[in-house]
Amino acid sequence: MADAKRFEGYGVLVTGAARGIGAAVARRLAEEGARVLLTDADRAEVERTASELREQGMAAEASICDVADRAAVEAAVAFAVDAFGSLDVLVNSAASCTSDTPLFEDGTDEAWARDLDITLTGTYRCCRAALPHLARSGRGAVVTIGSVNGRLDFGNQAYSAAKAGLGSLTRTLAGHAAARGVRVNLVEPGTVRTSAWEGREDELEALRPLYPLGRVGEPEDIAAAVAFLASRDAAWVTGTVLTVDGGLTAVHAGFKATARPRAAL
């Protein structure tokens, strides 16, 4: 548990908070004193996660929210403001990732649209609904969960295109929101051990040597980065991408292991 109470008195909304990164973010901010509204399209799971936090003495509420539904997003924001008296931080973690078809041309419009609608447009909907309240708080911050998929080809074309779009949205919204006292930043994770990898531990182990720091990420690694960007410790940081990927995109570990480059004679 974090020792600092950087978010004492803060009202926070986290989307995609039923499990994985979103749940870890909600826990980290609640540990640091925030009152957190966990939202997700999975009612049972998000209520279970919020209940666990409350049982451990943290201030947590749960709300069903499909970020593809504008009315549901606006209702979740209103719920947070009513419950906490203010909304100070929005964390966009909800996403959709559809497996690629063997041939690109076999992909469907429906799958493409779903990944973009939830991952990119859903974030837009949440920011649009939350921004007036974040501006009124005097310490408003938006932190969105991107992905290294938005920069390099790791597959999942629609998801990757949506995550790349989040980088652009972060920059343009940061430019608009700065004058209103709201900071907007993006965390860009590499591979993170979440429920999406259950039953695929052998694949995670195969990926480990590709990471210079020797392991894949844990949800708590991403939560720590979000907590920094959402806090006043990052008061002069906006419009930036914080890559949290164990060195994956900085060092081509596979190439180095194969080529074994030698010093020039």
Side-chain angles (χ1 to χ4, degrees), residues 252-263:
H252 199 312
F255 179 87
K256 290 180 69 175
T258 302
R260 295 189 180 90
R262 298 180 180 178

Side-chain angles (χ1 to χ4, degrees), residues 80-245:
V81 173
D82 183 62
F84 306 142
S86 67
L87 181 60
D88 304 286
V89 175
L90 168 67
V91 181
N92 297 298
S93 184
S96 173
C97 183
T98 303
S99 298
D100 291 336
T101 53
L103 293 176
F104 182 83
E105 59 266 32
D106 291 335
T108 66
D109 287 359
E110 292 76 18
W112 179 271
R114 175 175 172 78
D115 281 7
L116 265 68
D117 192 32
I118 293 176
T119 308
L120 177 57
T121 309
T123 296
Y124 161 73
R125 292 186 186 100
C126 292
C127 291
R128 178 177 59 191
L131 188 57
H133 304 284
L134 296 172
R136 280 195 288 273
S137 84
R139 56 191 180 189
V142 175
V143 184
T144 298
I145 307 300
S147 172
V148 294
N149 283 54
R151 286 204 287 137
L152 296 174
D153 176 20
F154 294 106
N156 303 113
Q157 291 104 345
Y159 170 83
S160 298
K163 290 294 190 179
L166 290 176
S168 178
L169 177 60
T170 294
R171 291 184 291 273
T172 56
L173 183 56
H176 169 81
R180 302 169 71 178
V182 179
R183 298 179 301 102
V184 185
N185 293 291
L186 184 80
V187 174
E188 189 178 72
T191 305
V192 177
R193 190 190 309 274
T194 66
S195 60
W197 291 92
E198 286 181 1
R200 301 165 61 193
E201 288 75 15
D202 56 336
E203 293 179 50
L204 286 178
E205 179 61 22
L207 290 173
R208 184 185 59 76
L210 301 179
Y211 282 85
L213 289 182
R215 65 176 177 87
V216 299
E218 302 294 339
E220 292 75 18
D221 294 317
I222 312 308
V226 172
F228 164 68
L229 288 173
S231 77
R232 297 303 296 171
D233 289 340
W236 209 47
V237 180
T238 196
T240 197
V241 173
L242 177 56
T243 302
V244 185
D245 71 348

